[in-house]
Amino acid sequence: MRSSLAPGVWFLRAFSRDSWFRGFILLLTFFIYTCYHMSRKPISVVKSRLHQNCSELIHPINDTHSLNDTTWCSWAPFDQNNYKELLGAVDNAFLVAYAIGMFISGIFGERLPLRYYLSAGMLLSGLFTALFGLGYFWNIHMLWYFVLIQIFNGLAQTTGWPSVVTCVGNWFGKGKRGLIMGVWNSHTSVGNILGSLIAGVWVNGQWGLSFVVPGIITAAMGVITFLFLIEYPEDVDCTPPQHHGGPEEKEDNPEDPGNGPYSSRESSLDTATRCSKEPSTQPAAISFLGALRIPGVIEFSLCLLFAKLVSYTFLYWLPLYIFNVAHFGAKEAGDLSTLFDVGGIIGGIVAGLISDYTNGRATICCIMLILAAPMMFLYNHFGQNGITSSIVMLIVCGALVNGPYALITTAVSADLGTHKSLKGNAKALSTVTAIIDGTGSIGAALGPLLAGLISPTGWNNVFYMLISADILACLLLCRLVYKEILAWKSSMSRNRGSSLALTHPL
């Protein structure tokens, strides 16, 4: 009779298979959200093409524009003097729709199969992104067309983040390190870089392809998602992750640095796994006002609002700023702006790694925000003096601005999820997450809108607005930083007491 496998061999085989599937899901969701951000980026690159100074260009034959018209090569209706306000309106249409949709997207995501929901969202997002570019080939010059397309695209894009977080949460248990989360969260910056590079290929020619090509790629990724996304480990006979915590465990002690209201031992991806597949084990949902009463929700929400305000202003206006101030071409400005996202990747990984060792996510965010304010001031005044200084300052600014934003996005649900009033209520956590992400998206909408309104008065004023928002985000973290400092002092006192007890036993 054939002998059974040794326990060690069985464990290695099971471990290898489970690890392969988990790695596949992590990689697939990385590419999925990369495509979402890739399809958002082209508008920031094409802005410099929609309105440009045409005085140095040669008028085409049979052109009806006046010889003194310096905007004859611009794309109507963005050829007017109020083009910055119009471009801001186009940005804001997307971002406001995204902010509103984020509050309700999680409701649909909880009730629909993630594979269908995410695939449909990517197909629609790819469609609307391509339709924006088709406005060039269809010779459309009506503002309402571009605004309407952006509204629909903003709503479609809300399917992305809640879905990938939930899917990854189904596969990964507690205790994921900040370093891993920092690497995974680089999909945002990678998508921005790809979107800028792809849009830059056609921005000086048929700029409509700058949208059509990313739209096609996003839609194709939607098809791949439909074919290969696996929502639960049990669907492929993999071992479900081990999750600890719940009502049976001791309640959180506010004075315990490891179990305080803002403990950072979990990630927002881990908290999504607390929602059981069995309806009988699901607790009652918390009300909207009840979620707001949880200590820290309002502070984190407002902090993320200002953090995303700064990040998304750079996302949508940095190429135009480089084009106008440094006088680079449209393609060169788009390529140079990708260095900001390179810095964002570095900043997210470094912030996650340091917070793992210090267990002080709020403190790390606060330090990076403090350093970001003077760095933005220096970049605005000295960043365009040479290509070397511009490259270095863009990378550093990207790390300091996007690092805290990435860390807050992944840590906030865990910080609030350990509060004793929640007791592992997954529905409460989803409500809290919707409030925080939705509030942050409002900041993402306000930033580009304010930039469009303020930029006609000078780019210096735009940077002063960003610096002010950065400082406000930092101030909102002060109470959390204070609690972390107290936790460190308590931990050091206990460690010192333990050392003395070992050195001088009774």
Side-chain angles (χ1 to χ4, degrees), residues 435-470:
I435 292 173
I436 295 174
D437 288 345
T439 306
S441 298
I442 293 174
L446 286 176
L449 174 64
L450 292 175
L453 297 175
I454 297 174
S455 57
T457 66
W459 286 105
N460 287 342
N461 295 329
V462 174
F463 274 86
Y464 294 148
M465 180 268 292
L466 295 178
I467 293 172
S468 300
D470 181 84

Side-chain angles (χ1 to χ4, degrees), residues 420-498:
K420 61 182 180 180
S421 64
L422 292 179
K423 297 181 180 179
N425 188 339
K427 290 190 175 181
L429 292 174
S430 64
T431 303
V432 169
T433 302
I435 292 173
I436 295 174
D437 288 345
T439 306
S441 298
I442 293 174
L446 286 176
L449 174 64
L450 292 175
L453 297 175
I454 297 174
S455 57
T457 66
W459 286 105
N460 287 342
N461 295 329
V462 174
F463 274 86
Y464 294 148
M465 180 268 292
L466 295 178
I467 293 172
S468 300
D470 181 84
I471 294 173
L472 287 173
C474 180
L475 291 176
L476 288 165
L477 289 176
C478 287
R479 190 173 74 92
L480 310 185
V481 172
Y482 177 71
K483 292 179 73 67
E484 288 182 353
I485 293 175
L486 291 181
W488 289 332
K489 287 183 177 180
S490 177
S491 178
M492 291 175 62
S493 298
R494 287 200 305 270
N495 292 337
R496 190 180 301 113
S498 300

Side-chain angles (χ1 to χ4, degrees), residues 246-318:
E248 70 277 8
E249 290 191 358
K250 67 178 181 178
E251 291 189 357
D252 299 324
N253 182 1
E255 301 301 322
D256 186 347
N259 293 317
Y262 305 100
S263 173
S264 303
R265 294 183 178 179
E266 300 173 348
S267 72
S268 61
L269 298 179
D270 305 330
T271 58
T273 61
R274 296 177 184 242
C275 188
S276 174
K277 296 172 69 175
E278 300 180 8
S280 60
T281 63
Q282 292 182 354
I286 192 173
S287 67
F288 186 87
L289 292 178
L292 287 177
R293 294 191 188 100
I294 298 173
V297 168
I298 294 178
E299 293 160 299
F300 261 120
S301 298
L302 294 177
C303 179
L304 189 61
L305 185 151
F306 291 110
K308 290 188 76 169
L309 185 152
V310 177
S311 180
Y312 270 67
T313 301
F314 274 98
L315 172 67
Y316 280 91
W317 286 91
L318 182 58

Side-chain angles (χ1 to χ4, degrees), residues 267-457:
S267 72
S268 61
L269 298 179
D270 305 330
T271 58
T273 61
R274 296 177 184 242
C275 188
S276 174
K277 296 172 69 175
E278 300 180 8
S280 60
T281 63
Q282 292 182 354
I286 192 173
S287 67
F288 186 87
L289 292 178
L292 287 177
R293 294 191 188 100
I294 298 173
V297 168
I298 294 178
E299 293 160 299
F300 261 120
S301 298
L302 294 177
C303 179
L304 189 61
L305 185 151
F306 291 110
K308 290 188 76 169
L309 185 152
V310 177
S311 180
Y312 270 67
T313 301
F314 274 98
L315 172 67
Y316 280 91
W317 286 91
L318 182 58
L320 185 61
Y321 168 79
I322 297 174
F323 177 82
N324 288 338
V325 177
H327 306 293
F328 282 96
K331 183 181 185 304
E332 291 75 13
D335 292 344
L336 190 61
S337 69
T338 60
L339 294 173
F340 182 84
D341 294 295
V342 172
I345 296 175
I346 298 173
I349 295 174
V350 171
L353 180 62
I354 296 176
S355 67
D356 279 339
Y357 287 98
T358 62
N359 197 28
R361 298 188 188 275
T363 304
I364 297 302
C365 287
C366 191
I367 292 174
M368 297 184 79
L369 290 169
I370 291 173
L371 296 176
M375 184 53 62
M376 285 189 286
F377 178 84
L378 292 175
Y379 172 70
N380 181 42
H381 285 83
F382 306 106
Q384 311 305 330
N385 291 344
I387 187 64
T388 302
S389 62
S390 182
I391 291 174
V392 173
M393 288 188 176
L394 273 176
I395 293 176
V396 175
C397 280
L400 296 176
V401 170
N402 282 343
Y405 161 46
L407 193 59
I408 290 172
T409 302
T410 56
V412 69
S413 293
D415 292 335
L416 298 173
T418 55
H419 192 270
K420 61 182 180 180
S421 64
L422 292 179
K423 297 181 180 179
N425 188 339
K427 290 190 175 181
L429 292 174
S430 64
T431 303
V432 169
T433 302
I435 292 173
I436 295 174
D437 288 345
T439 306
S441 298
I442 293 174
L446 286 176
L449 174 64
L450 292 175
L453 297 175
I454 297 174
S455 57
T457 66

